[in-house]
Amino acid sequence: MAEPQIEIKAENCSGCLRCSLACSFYNTKERVFSLAEAQIVVRPDESNAWFNVEFRENCTSCGICVEHCDFGALTW
Amino acid sequence: MKKIGGYTGKILKIDLGEKRIFTEPLPEEWISSFTGGLGISFKLAYDNACPKEDALGPKNVLIFGAGPFVGTLIPGACKTTVVAKTPVSGFLGISGTGHLGMLKFTGYDNLMITGEADRPVYLKIDDDVEICDAGDLWGKDTWDTTEALWQKLGKQFVVACIGPAGENMAVQASIIVNKYSAYAQSGMGAVMGSKNLKAIALSGSRSISVADPGRFSELIDKAYHQSIESQKETINVFREWGTLRAMGPPISQFGPHEYKNYSEVVPPDLPYKFPLDRFMSEIKRGDISCMACPIGCKHLIRMLKGDKAGDSMAVSCLVGGFHGFAAHCAVEGWEDAIRCDELCNRLGMDYLSAGSAIAFAIELYQKKIIDKTDTDGLELKWGAAEEVQELLRQMALKQGFGKILAQGLIKGPQLIGKNSEKYAVHTRGHAIYYDPRRAMSPDLFSDMINASGDRFHAPGWAGKTITKEFLERHLGMPPDQAEQAVTDMKGYGLARFAKWAEDNATMFECLGLCQMPPHQKVELSVWAGLYEALTGIKTDGEKLLHAAVRVWNIRRKFDLLEGRTRKDDSFIAWRFVTERLASGGEDHDPVSEESFDALLTEYYKERGWDPTEGSVRQESNV
C-alpha cells in the first residue's frame, strides 16, 4: 500500500461524505456506493473539529476523494 | 423483487408491542406508482391507517423512508422523511432531515414501527436488528443520549433519538439526529415517545448498486454543474449564511419573521441586534453538510456564554431558531437566541413550534388574559430569555404552565379558555412561517391549506420572479398551462403554481433530494435521466411528476379517513382575518376569507379533486 499523500484538514470537513461515496463508486469493481468499502472514513469527533477523517489501509491515494471535497478538507 | 439500482428492495417492519422484527420486499408496483421514500411511506401509512385512533397510542404507525437517490453521489441526495398521524392536528404529519441516509446502507428503503414497547427501548440496526433496553437512556437529553450510544456502540452509528420532550409527548417534540439535525416539526418525537422508543442507532455495511454507472456518472457531473458550479457566488452565500439568508431580502419582505406572535412587523432595528458580520467573525466556526450535499448550509458554531462557553455545537436550520425565539418571542442578541436553540435541541423540541407556543403565552400574559396564578409565578414578557428557557423546560417535562403549552396551539387554548384561541397563530395546529397579510405566495398558500407540518412542500418560492419558461423548465408545467398561470399569479395562477410546486417538492422527497434553491436549478430532465441510469427503469419528468400526484392523492385519502373537510383546509388564524398589519408607511389588510376560499376551489380543480369538498375522486389513481 502506498502511503497516502493526501493532506487532511479535519477542521474544514462538513461531514457530507462525498469523499466516501465517490471513493466506493469509482473504485469498486461493481461500481457501487458503500460506506463500508470506501477507503476514507468520516465520523463525528467533537474533540478536534466536528468530524474526524481517516484513510483505511487499502487507500491508493487515487485522489477521487480530493476531487469530490468541496470544503478544502482534503488537499494534495 | 429483482435487483433494481438505487433501491435496497426491502422494508424493515418492527412491532414493538409484539417484539417482532421482520422484512418485506418493496413491491415493484409500489415503485412505479409512488417512486420511493416519502411515497412508499405514505402508501404504508394509508394501508395501515387506524382512523380516529389516538396519534399517541400504540396503533399509530411511524414510518421512516429514504428514496432511491439517497446514499449516492447525486448533489443534495440526502433527504429522508418520517411520517405518522401527527398529534398536532390528527392528520398525516411529515418531517424531514438530511442525516439518516445510513438507513439505505443498513439494507432498507423504509422502516415501519408499530405498537408500543412495555419499557423504554432503542433499536440497533446494523447487519442484525435488535430491540435493546433503554432504561439507562430514558430521561437523558438528546446530546447525552447520543453520546451514551456512541460510547456503547461506536461512532460509526448514526443516532436518531428523542429527548425529554418526546418522552413526555409534548406535541412540539422532534427527533434529533447526531445531536443537531432534526426531524423538527409535526411532533414525530412525541409519537416515538408514545412507543417508548428512545432512539434508533444505524450503521450499515450494505451497498447501493447502479444500473448504468457510465451514464450515471455523466449525469451527476451535469447536475453538479447546474446546481453548484454554474452559481458559485450563490453557493457561497448559502454556505456562509445557511438558512439565515432568509433574514435578508427578498425573503424577509414576505414576512417570515413577523414579530411577537405576529402582532407586529419586525422592527427596523432588529437586524442590528443580530449582526450577520458578527455571526461570521465571532460565532461561526465551520460548515456542516447533509449527506452528499456540496452546499453545507448548516453551521458549526461556538457557544458564547454560560457554563458551556467555548464549546462547539452544530446547528441545522438556524433561521428556524431566529424565527422561533428572536422574532416570535423578541429574544435579542445572538447569545441569548443561541442558548434557546441549544436548550430546545437538547430537550428535543422544534424551534419554531416551541417558539410559537411561548410567544402565544407571552401575548396572553401581556394582554392580561392569564397572570401569575396561571403561570406558577412566572412573569412572561417579550424578550425575557430566561423565562423563555424556563418555559421550554416546563414544556419538555410537562410541568407548570408548560404542561398546557405542550398540548399545542389547538388543545392548549381550549384548556386555557377565555377566548385565548384568538391569539393562537397556526395552520391546523402547526406553527406558521409567513404572514399571509403581506403577500400570498404559492409557498404560504400550500402551507396554509395542507398544514403538513414541514416546509418541504412549499419550498421557498416567495420572492422569485416567475416566468412561463421557469414553470415549464423546472416544474414541468405544460406550455399552455404555464402561459395561463403567469397571467394571473394572484388567482388561479397561484393555485396552479402551488399544485405544481407541491408535485415537484413531492417528487424531490420521493427521490430523496433536498429542496434548497440551488438544487431546484437542476432541470427536470436531468433528474429523470439520473433516475433511469441509477435504477434501470425507463422514465421521464412527466412520469415522475405523475407519481407525485398519486402520492399527494394517497396522503389526502389518509386525511379524509380522519375526517378532513374543506373547513380544515380553509382555516385561517383569527389574527390574520381580523387585524391589519401596520408596517411603517405600508399597511396590509387582513386576509379576505372569501378570496382565500375562491383560491381553494381553484386549487381543488387543479388537483382534480371534488371542487366543493376537496375529496379525491374515484377515478384518481391511488
Side-chain angles (χ1 to χ4, degrees):
Chain A
M1 176 205 103
E3 186 67 26
Q5 300 298 306
I6 298 162
E7 188 184 346
I8 297 170
K9 291 179 185 158
E11 66 274 21
N12 289 345
C13 178
S14 76
C16 69
L17 301 177
R18 288 180 64 79
C19 54
S20 301
L21 296 169
C23 176
S24 60
F25 179 61
Y26 289 104
N27 288 321
T28 50
K29 191 177 160 199
E30 304 81 10
R31 303 291 304 273
V32 295
F33 291 100
S34 163
L35 297 178
E37 292 190 52
Q39 294 304 311
I40 183 166
V41 182
V42 179
R43 284 182 186 156
D45 180 9
E46 293 159 51
S47 62
N48 177 19
W50 197 259
F51 298 100
N52 183 48
V53 184
E54 283 178 3
F55 292 104
R56 286 196 170 114
E57 60 180 7
N58 290 331
C59 169
T60 60
S61 296
C62 72
I64 285 288
C65 56
V66 180
E67 282 176 34
H68 286 81
C69 180
D70 286 80
F71 296 89
L74 299 168
T75 52
W76 287 106
Chain B
M1 68 178 230
K2 70 171 188 275
K3 189 74 178 172
I4 297 174
Y7 297 91
T8 70
K10 284 192 292 183
I11 300 167
L12 175 61
K13 295 187 173 179
I14 299 175
D15 185 330
L16 292 172
E18 300 292 327
K19 299 183 178 63
R20 191 164 164 249
I21 299 167
F22 57 108
T23 60
E24 285 185 355
L26 174 63
E28 270 188 66
E29 59 271 26
W30 287 17
I31 291 177
S32 49
S33 292
F34 307 108
T35 305
L38 181 72
I40 304 299
S41 294
F42 278 175
K43 171 69 174 159
L44 286 165
Y46 180 71
D47 287 355
N48 291 278
C50 293
K52 313 291 184 188
E53 290 286 341
D54 185 0
L56 298 175
K59 290 193 176 171
N60 199 3
V61 182
L62 184 70
I63 308 158
F64 294 83
F69 283 9
V70 177
T72 76
L73 201 51
I74 295 169
C78 61
K79 192 53 78 70
T80 66
T81 48
V82 60
V83 310
K85 185 198 288 192
T86 165
V88 176
S89 65
F91 300 123
L92 197 55
I94 313 157
S95 208
T97 182
H99 286 88
L100 208 76
M102 187 62 89
L103 180 65
K104 293 284 292 288
F105 293 108
T106 63
Y108 306 103
D109 296 299
N110 295 77
L111 162 64
M112 182 173 125
I113 300 163
T114 54
E116 176 187 334
D118 56 7
R119 59 191 162 81
V121 297
Y122 74 90
L123 300 176
K124 177 171 170 276
I125 304 174
D126 49 9
D127 289 341
D128 296 311
V129 182
E130 286 178 64
I131 302 172
C132 307
D133 183 80
D136 57 337
L137 300 175
W138 205 254
K140 285 186 192 295
D141 73 25
T142 60
W143 292 11
D144 291 343
T145 301
T146 305
E147 285 293 345
L149 283 172
W150 277 343
Q151 202 161 17
K152 190 182 288 190
L153 306 173
K155 287 196 169 178
Q156 71 274 26
F157 277 81
V158 170
V159 175
C161 70
I162 58 170
E167 292 175 11
N168 294 305
M169 294 179 268
V171 304
Q172 298 86 1
S174 54
I175 302 168
I176 304 289
V177 183
N178 278 9
K179 297 173 75 170
Y180 60 94
S181 188
Y183 288 109
Q185 295 189 37
S186 288
M188 292 295 135
V191 176
M192 232 170 111
S194 74
K195 297 185 174 306
N196 267 327
L197 180 58
K198 178 67 177 173
I200 304 169
L202 307 110
S203 174
S205 60
R206 310 291 166 92
S207 57
I208 297 165
S209 64
V210 180
D212 183 347
R215 186 176 172 219
F216 188 67
S217 185
E218 283 169 21
L219 285 166
I220 282 182
D221 290 345
K222 195 167 183 179
Y224 184 86
H225 176 77
Q226 290 183 357
S227 66
I228 308 295
E229 270 182 334
S230 65
Q231 40 180 347
K232 282 277 186 193
E233 282 183 27
T234 307
I235 296 300
N236 286 339
V237 172
F238 274 98
R239 184 176 294 176
E240 285 190 344
W241 309 119
T243 54
L244 285 177
R245 178 179 167 271
M247 284 171 70
I251 300 171
S252 59
Q253 293 161 347
F254 283 79
H257 309 302
E258 301 305 26
Y259 205 49
K260 297 180 179 175
N261 199 32
Y262 286 92
S263 63
E264 299 176 17
V265 295
V266 169
D269 65 339
L270 190 71
Y272 300 106
K273 292 164 183 166
F274 292 89
L276 286 172
D277 56 344
R278 194 168 154 253
F279 174 76
M280 285 304 295
S281 62
E282 296 179 26
I283 300 168
K284 177 159 175 160
R285 283 185 58 197
D287 310 307
I288 301 280
S289 284
C290 296
M291 184 182 259
C293 183
I295 299 175
C297 72
K298 298 172 170 32
H299 311 287
L300 178 61
I301 62 175
R302 188 189 301 113
M303 301 306 293
L304 302 171
K305 281 183 179 173
D307 58 354
K308 295 274 179 190
D311 283 2
S312 297
M313 68 181 237
V315 288
S316 47
C317 185
L318 197 52
V319 82
F322 176 84
H323 188 66
F325 302 114
H328 267 334
C329 302
V331 170
E332 292 184 356
W334 287 116
E335 286 85 354
D336 279 343
I338 288 172
R339 292 291 291 182
C340 292
D341 293 350
E342 181 206 351
L343 182 62
C344 214
N345 210 341
R346 294 187 79 125
L347 294 167
M349 271 194 291
D350 169 46
Y351 302 152
L352 184 61
S353 309
S356 294
I358 293 172
F360 161 71
I362 297 173
E363 185 167 14
L364 294 186
Y365 193 96
Q366 291 295 314
K367 285 192 154 54
K368 303 191 190 311
I369 296 168
I370 58 171
D371 58 28
K372 279 186 181 176
T373 59
D374 299 292
T375 62
D376 288 344
L378 209 56
E379 190 182 345
L380 302 183
K381 54 189 178 197
W382 299 115
E386 284 186 16
E387 282 74 11
V388 168
Q389 289 171 22
E390 179 55 26
L391 276 182
L392 285 173
R393 280 186 209 96
Q394 289 187 7
M395 287 161 70
L397 298 171
K398 286 243 181 113
Q399 293 174 347
F401 192 60
K403 191 174 178 180
I404 291 173
L405 296 182
Q407 300 287 332
L409 291 170
I410 295 178
K411 284 185 191 163
Q414 288 168 3
L415 295 170
I416 295 167
K418 306 176 193 176
N419 291 324
S420 61
E421 73 278 0
K422 288 202 298 188
Y423 302 102
V425 184
H426 61 93
T427 59
R428 297 309 303 159
H430 295 282
I432 192 166
Y433 199 68
Y434 294 109
D435 190 325
R437 293 169 294 185
R438 289 253 199 167
M440 187 63 78
S441 67
D443 319 41
L444 177 55
F445 176 66
S446 172
D447 199 19
M448 291 175 75
I449 60 173
N450 292 303
S452 62
D454 209 335
R455 303 278 86 78
F456 61 63
H457 287 302
W461 300 105
K464 279 198 171 72
T465 304
I466 302 302
T467 62
K468 174 176 176 288
E469 289 69 32
F470 180 90
L471 295 175
E472 287 178 39
R473 193 170 185 183
H474 293 281
L475 295 191
M477 200 183 281
D480 56 330
Q481 290 196 39
E483 190 157 353
Q484 282 177 346
V486 291
T487 60
D488 182 19
M489 282 309 289
K490 289 187 175 174
Y492 68 82
L494 191 147
R496 178 171 293 172
F497 186 0
K499 181 262 180 196
W500 282 83
E502 286 166 358
D503 291 346
N504 266 267
T506 304
M507 180 192 78
F508 268 51
E509 296 298 329
C510 293
L511 293 170
L513 287 166
C514 169
Q515 293 172 45
M516 280 294 272
H519 300 310
Q520 292 170 8
K521 289 279 174 69
V522 177
E523 291 170 27
L524 185 57
S525 60
V526 175
W527 295 133
L530 278 163
Y531 183 83
E532 270 191 0
L534 174 64
T535 63
I537 300 169
K538 278 295 275 181
T539 195
D540 55 33
E542 197 179 337
K543 281 183 185 160
L544 289 173
L545 286 172
H546 195 60
V549 170
R550 284 193 206 97
V551 171
W552 204 255
N553 282 342
I554 204 164
R555 171 187 181 276
R556 181 71 175 182
K557 285 194 150 198
F558 180 101
D559 281 1
L560 292 169
L561 290 176
E562 295 290 349
R564 191 174 188 119
T565 66
R566 186 184 182 110
K567 201 175 158 195
D568 295 299
D569 299 338
S570 57
F571 170 83
I572 310 174
W574 175 85
R575 164 154 282 150
F576 293 149
V577 292
T578 52
E579 293 184 349
R580 291 176 65 78
L581 179 70
S583 168
E586 189 189 354
D587 280 12
H588 300 277
D589 288 332
V591 175
S592 157
E593 289 178 275
E594 198 181 335
S595 302
F596 191 84
D597 208 51
L599 210 50
L600 187 59
T601 300
E602 293 295 340
Y603 172 83
Y604 285 166
K605 286 184 197 164
E606 290 293 325
R607 279 252 158 256
W609 294 347
D610 179 278
T612 308
E613 283 305 314
S615 53
V616 181
R617 289 171 165 156
Q618 280 300 320
E619 63 268 28
S620 294
N621 190 355
V622 171

